[in-house]
Amino acid sequence: MREPSSVGTESNSVASPPPPPRALLERLKDYGQEDVLALWDEISHEERDFLVKEIESLDLSRIDRIIRCSLRSQALPAAAIEPVPESNVSKVEERSQEQREKWWKMGLKAISDGKLAVLLLSGGQGTRLGSSDPKGCFNIGLPSGKSLFQLQAEKILCVQRLAAQATNESSTSSVQIHWYIMTSPFTDEATRKFFESHKFFGLEAEQVTFFQQGTIPCVSKDGRIILETPYRVAKAPDGNGGVYSALKSTKLLEDMASKGIKYIDCYGVDNALVRVADPSFLGYFIDKGVAAAAKVVRKAYPQEKVGVFVQRGKGGPLTVVEYSELDSSLASAVNQATGRLRFCWSNVCLHMFTLDFLNQVANGLEKDSIYHLAEKKIPSVHGYTMGLKLEQFIFDAFPYAPTTALFEVLRDEEFAPVKNANGSNYDTPDTAKMLLFRLHTRWVVAAGGFLTHSVPLYATGVEVSPLCSYAGENLEPICRGRTFHAPCEITF
């Protein structure tokens, strides 16, 4: 009788997986994050390699500092808030025509001297709009079919032309505004391809720079990193305030300095009426000599879901308080002297900074490492679990500013947010389109044009190409005595 072979039993035995790299395990233990290797034995060789690379790509000491500082700051009482002093705000009704013209000319001069850059926050997808594309690719339904990106690019082209004309430059190409566009890992490739396929909407390719905001691991309420899958860390973008650390890490602040840029106009992509590179705002900013400024609109009603500018303590810095953090009695309080809400200056993500200040903010935010904690459902190996996303916001810069000024603008001229799908109650493509139609219709009528329309005028209007006019100027030669049938696009 033949002896049973031992070959089969050896081949059927399962070898134990190799342990995780010792140095990596020790590093994780140093920060109390060894749980990210809890499922090591259950994943494949390729998945282990992926997980190791993922962990090695994390700056664990920085992440640990952010988690600890952010959790600790939540327990600290916030300084009492005061209304913004009247002297810090330029109100629409108080501006003389002489001031307006002075600021407009000052702004155009600084632009022609190459001192202004534009910084676009464009990391979000149009998920709430029913699109997986970057928000800037969205077409709100205008007669021209232009995307938000195209509308903004054409406003830059228009301002370049106005600056060249104002300073008697022989060629509009001699004036160039550099456009820095912050994407995210979810929008970067699609944004670049969109610009390339549209030939940068008439801009020079070299005047547009794309860069990505960072991501940061999602954590449990006790600060432990959450795994999305057994071999992948759950991460989320670090908020639109991630722009400061992204500009620093990509050395784009140095790039701006090398180009002679001194002022940065910063805005969010989802505003169909945004005045990109506004010469008036820039002129006001230069005239005031401040480090930071923001355009603001008056809060429409006490419960409106907008953040407002406040002063932190007597004589403290200006900063933004989210609507959810503002006590209802404070939100409803009225200033008897002015008749306005005491806290009425809404933040609409239209900011101006000096380059020196941006350097200061990037260093200060990194040193302080305080992020906002948003409790969210996080996809994890255990299904959706409640955890924390860590974010910084663009307005986190303001407490660092030695001087801040607020510049009031009219909501129906400069603020048409595109956040929710049509059918929602507010901030939809349709509401933004109607705000643009009404504004541009007023421009055309003021320039001597006439409109015909087959539906009530409140439900339609005209679209003026940004290539024709930036803010309603120079339309008489195109419009005077002419009749336009709404809806239509008015162009050269």
Side-chain angles (χ1 to χ4, degrees):
M1 185 175 164
R2 201 165 51 173
E3 291 289 327
S5 169
S6 61
V7 174
T9 55
E10 285 176 1
S11 62
N12 291 334
S13 67
V14 178
S16 297
R22 187 172 186 80
L24 186 68
L25 182 58
E26 292 303 318
R27 271 185 68 223
L28 288 167
K29 283 181 177 177
D30 286 344
Y31 300 108
Q33 298 291 359
E34 62 272 20
D35 285 357
V36 295
L37 297 175
L39 301 173
W40 181 265
D41 291 353
E42 300 174 25
I43 57 181
S44 70
H45 175 72
E46 290 78 12
E47 291 167 342
R48 285 186 210 114
D49 282 349
F50 184 94
L51 181 59
V52 167
K53 287 190 177 75
E54 178 120 302
I55 296 167
E56 286 177 340
S57 72
L58 300 176
D59 185 341
L60 288 174
S61 65
R62 177 175 182 264
I63 291 166
D64 179 68
R65 186 173 72 249
I66 288 169
I67 293 169
R68 285 188 293 103
C69 292
S70 303
L71 288 171
R72 193 187 309 133
S73 74
Q74 300 304 300
L76 299 175
I81 61 171
E82 299 277 338
V84 174
E86 293 289 308
S87 60
N88 286 67
V89 188
S90 168
K91 301 168 197 71
V92 170
E93 71 273 10
E94 293 176 0
R95 287 175 212 148
S96 66
Q97 189 60 32
E98 185 183 0
Q99 269 183 324
R100 293 166 192 259
E101 289 174 4
K102 172 187 167 186
W103 290 336
W104 177 259
K105 289 175 182 174
M106 284 178 73
L108 288 178
K109 176 70 168 65
I111 289 166
S112 71
D113 290 342
K115 293 180 180 176
L116 180 73
V118 171
L119 176 57
L120 169 59
L121 309 176
S122 183
Q125 294 168 290
T127 313
R128 280 195 282 168
L129 299 169
S131 167
S132 59
D133 292 331
K135 265 191 188 178
C137 302
F138 200 80
N139 161 19
I140 63 172
L142 295 172
S144 65
K146 290 174 182 174
S147 63
L148 292 170
F149 280 142
Q150 182 166 355
L151 294 174
Q152 292 160 24
E154 291 183 353
K155 286 176 185 178
I156 291 173
L157 285 166
C158 185
V159 173
Q160 288 179 171
R161 186 180 74 244
L162 290 169
Q165 291 168 347
T167 51
N168 297 315
E169 294 284 350
S170 57
S171 166
T172 56
S173 62
S174 60
V175 175
Q176 199 172 83
I177 298 170
H178 207 92
W179 198 9
Y180 295 86
I181 299 177
M182 184 177 79
T183 64
S184 70
F186 312 105
T187 64
D188 187 73
E189 185 180 1
T191 300
R192 291 171 189 264
K193 285 182 176 175
F194 194 74
F195 271 74
E196 288 164 6
S197 66
H198 289 85
K199 296 183 168 53
F200 291 82
F201 308 106
L203 294 166
E204 300 296 327
E206 63 268 16
Q207 77 183 95
V208 183
T209 298
F210 301 98
F211 67 103
Q212 285 191 50
Q213 72 183 102
T215 59
I216 196 162
C218 303
V219 299
S220 61
K221 291 179 186 177
D222 60 356
R224 304 279 183 136
I225 292 173
I226 294 172
L227 284 176
E228 183 176 331
T229 71
Y231 58 93
R232 188 189 300 273
V233 170
K235 296 179 191 166
D238 54 6
N240 60 16
V243 68
Y244 303 115
S245 58
L247 284 171
K248 182 179 170 69
S249 64
T250 54
K251 298 197 175 342
L252 287 178
L253 294 173
E254 296 168 23
D255 180 68
M256 291 177 183
S258 72
K259 289 181 167 67
I261 291 163
K262 293 191 180 302
Y263 314 111
I264 293 90
D265 177 33
C266 176
Y267 70 99
V269 72
D270 55 2
N271 180 357
L273 286 182
V274 60
R275 290 190 181 174
V276 185
D278 181 358
S280 294
F281 186 34
L282 175 58
Y284 165 76
F285 181 73
I286 295 168
D287 196 30
K288 291 290 283 186
V290 291
K295 286 184 174 181
V296 290
V297 299
R298 297 188 192 210
K299 198 172 179 183
Y301 51 92
Q303 294 77 32
E304 187 182 12
K305 294 182 176 181
V306 290
V308 290
F309 276 91
V310 303
Q311 187 174 45
R312 282 283 182 201
K314 289 273 187 203
L318 298 196
T319 186
V320 174
V321 170
E322 287 288 58
Y323 66 89
S324 56
E325 299 168 10
L326 190 64
D327 182 85
S328 59
S329 62
L330 289 178
S332 303
V334 173
N335 180 329
Q336 297 304 321
T338 64
R340 293 192 306 266
L341 293 171
R342 288 185 73 221
F343 298 95
C344 76
W345 301 117
S346 301
N347 170 46
V348 288
C349 196
L350 301 170
H351 304 315
M352 190 79 71
F353 304 119
T354 65
L355 180 57
D356 288 344
F357 177 62
L358 280 189
N359 274 294
Q360 180 192 336
V361 171
N363 293 325
L365 284 173
E366 186 61 34
K367 179 173 168 285
D368 293 342
S369 299
I370 296 173
Y371 283 56
H372 302 266
L373 303 177
E375 193 170 334
K376 302 276 187 180
K377 284 184 178 176
I378 311 291
S380 80
V381 287
H382 307 297
Y384 280 91
T385 184
M386 292 309 293
L388 301 172
K389 287 185 177 180
L390 295 103
E391 298 176 302
Q392 289 186 317
F393 299 139
I394 190 70
F395 55 73
D396 289 340
F398 286 94
Y400 294 88
T403 48
T404 300
L406 303 184
F407 186 79
E408 185 194 2
V409 295
L410 298 178
R411 185 185 291 255
D412 59 3
E413 291 184 358
E414 298 198 38
F415 188 50
V418 185
K419 295 185 181 295
N420 305 307
N422 285 329
S424 302
N425 293 329
Y426 57 90
D427 296 350
T428 67
D430 279 350
T431 60
K433 178 176 70 175
M434 288 313 305
L435 283 166
L436 186 146
F437 273 168
R438 288 168 192 167
L439 175 63
H440 291 194
T441 295
R442 293 197 297 274
W443 290 355
V444 169
V445 171
F450 302 93
L451 262 68
T452 61
H453 41 94
S454 47
V455 297
L457 190 55
Y458 67 79
T460 188
V462 293
E463 171 194 1
V464 175
S465 167
L467 296 174
C468 288
S469 181
Y470 181 77
E473 77 292 330
N474 301 331
L475 285 174
E476 288 83 356
I478 302 171
C479 298
R480 185 164 299 284
R482 288 184 62 191
T483 299
F484 303 93
H485 184 77
C488 68
E489 182 195 19
I490 296 173
T491 187
F492 286 122

